[in-house]
Amino acid sequence: MRQYELVDRVKRYNPDADEALLNRAYVYAMKAHGAQKRASGDPYFSHPLEVAAILTDLHLDDSTIVAAMLHDTIEDTATTREEIDQLFGHEIATLVEGLTKLKRLDLVSMRAAQAENLRKLLLAISEDVRVLLVKLADRLHNMRTLHFMPAEKRGRVAQETLDIYAPLAGRMGMQDMRDELEELAFKELMPEAHETIVHRLSDISGRSEKLIFEIEAALSRSMEAQGVRAVVKGRLKKPYSVWRKMNAKSIALEQLSDIFGFRVIVNDTTECYRALGVVHTSWPMVPGRFKDYISVPKQNDYRSLHTTVVGPARQRVELQIRTDEMHKIAELGIAAHALYKDGLAPDKRGLAAESSAFAWLRRTIANLAEGDPEEFLENTKLELFHDQVFCFTPKGRLIALPRGATPIDFAYAVHTELGNGMVGCKINGRLAPLVSELRNGDEVEVLSTQSQTPPAAWESLVVTGKARAAIRRASRIAVRRQYGGLGRQLVERAFQRAKRAYSDDNLKAALPRLARASVEDVLAAVGRGEMASSDVLRALYPDYHGERAHIVSEPPPKDPGWFSFPKSLGLIFKPAAAPGKTQPLSDVPVIGLDADVPVRFAEGGAVPGDRIVGIATPGEGVTVYRIDSPELARFENALDQWFDVRWDVDGKNARRFPARIIVVSINEPGSLAQVAAVVAEHDGNIENITMTRRTDDFVEMTIDISVWDLKHLTAILAQLRGKPVVNSAERAHG
Ligand code: MN
């Protein structure tokens, strides 16, 4: 590129350009670099000149073009900042100095905790976004000439480009810049993948040539027929973005819509919606794919309507509808705002106000810069290193995560509450599984509800310490809440039995005596069995010495389908617990369990003399089974639920226990009365009877009785078997 060529380029978009200034910079930089050579063997000056040329493509102002030409002078030549100040003025000198600072920062070697350097870098950019624009152009030219570099350096530069500069360009809305940086880095880093995809893309587009033309023509015709003036153009997707999509979703390249998109460019915003109407009335839309980035622009100022329709040949067709200006911003991003206006250099404050992308940049930097240095370092490490990904919230907040992070990590990184309440997520606008691995640049939307406890299993789905700790904490709290609820029940019950008033406030006053920090702690301790409810009672009422009251349960409720024995038969009903019903707490006299754990008998009951075992069920307490109960098979694989329990009865606290027997008798009038009479004669209480007809000749009675012990029960069974009407009398299983 010659001197006059550069000036020509600038004058083409800015007729009022300061030609003399541009010429002075050209000559100055050429002389400063002198005989320096690039790795390609070209004179070094060709590099700053090309960088300036790239910026003319972005239609940037004189100061930026001049700064680009001078960007390597302070670092690589004898030039000083003062000299540039004198020759080119303060504005340009500041830009060049900012670029010099960036050049000195070797981003990849930042593993050595040079957080301060990065902070400076970001601050330099935030002071004047044109520094970033020149830096990106500089990187782009270096990437274009990467093949001249020593092989060992190439990979590092390409990786850095992919990790830092390309996403940064994308974030600034500079899609063209991003695409080219990615393409060059992709080719360097994964030459085989690159070649395969390029080949495949040209293969499919070659085969689809006719179809693409058809779609373009059909769209244009429909637009014209409806009076919408539009330019329709097909465009092949970029290899790197295709590769990324294939990688992320493990999809195959099959459809045209996987590799090809169409753009409809119209004159104004209203036309965009009219064009959309034409598209949707011509072809059926694919539900869930329509996006209105005009009424809600993306954070980087991107505006367009997106939709997917089922086009001719039943192919999916992706469309973007936008105006010329939207198109310019979509491709140039923040640079589009830096365009010349009325021959005046853009005021950077004006630029900031105009561009939400720039506002985003400032905010990101503010986020990174606040907080203590260590935290800042942590953030910067996460953001910059290769083994990190950085993702964005729908509002454009940057969330840095280690590679391998999932949307769950993301949610917790945003806010602990968001993580706890997470129920789903969208990645780049599409619903995605929570186990998805996040990629650089992903936009993640967390779907959440309030008051949720994260499943403990999530712990294995996250990679960040923050998420893991939060999940653990949340499940600890949930368990505590559960124990707390049980504890409260136990405590309230104990107070009720003792006929004393209970309130949280009273308990609060007694906390020191219980050596616990909070009411919740006490209740959870009782729920876990670490503390007895009677201890709580005594802590509040030191004068209380009463024994634990023995609770006699109410007669069982009359379940439909259960036959309640009529009193007219002369049988005595005494209140006692029915098998299968929840027993009064601690009314099951067994030892081997903590005080205050709720205990109940299994459905079939158990009586002293039976060999028994306790099975603990979370949240329900312990159920006592007979050792020969077939039900126990269900718990064979959960031996930690088994508790060795023994009867705790002696002559003094004798009481009755539930048992269920099954009697088969001859089906004749009066057989029930005879059976009942035998039980009553032998001091067994009948609680319930259900009768089922087995055959015409026999009926089966399931009888819940209460007895003193196994000996008593065995005696009753023997008496029953001795009756002529009784065919068989057995203990029920379980
Ligand atoms: Mn350079």
Side-chain angles (χ1 to χ4, degrees), residues 23 51 185 205 243 419 543 667-668:
N23 284 327
V51 174
S205 65
W243 180 82
D543 60 310
N667 185 17
E668 64 177 23

Side-chain angles (χ1 to χ4, degrees), residues 74-91:
I74 296 183
E75 184 68 9
D76 296 344
T77 75
T79 303
T80 62
R81 150 111 210 218
E82 291 70 35
E83 213 175 321
I84 296 180
D85 243 322
Q86 279 166 18
L87 290 169
F88 299 98
H90 182 71
E91 187 190 357

Side-chain angles (χ1 to χ4, degrees), residues 95 98 102 118-133 168 172 334 348-349 351-352 357-366 369:
L95 287 173
L102 296 198
L118 180 70
R119 198 201 294 251
K120 277 185 199 147
L121 176 154
L122 294 169
L123 290 176
I125 293 171
S126 75
E127 264 168 36
D128 194 327
V129 76
R130 291 176 295 178
V131 171
L132 177 64
L133 300 179
L168 208 44
M172 294 294 106
I334 198 164
K348 63 191 176 197
R349 270 165 306 219
L351 180 63
F358 190 47
W360 169 84
L361 180 67
R362 273 191 181 282
R363 230 182 6 262
T364 301
I365 291 160

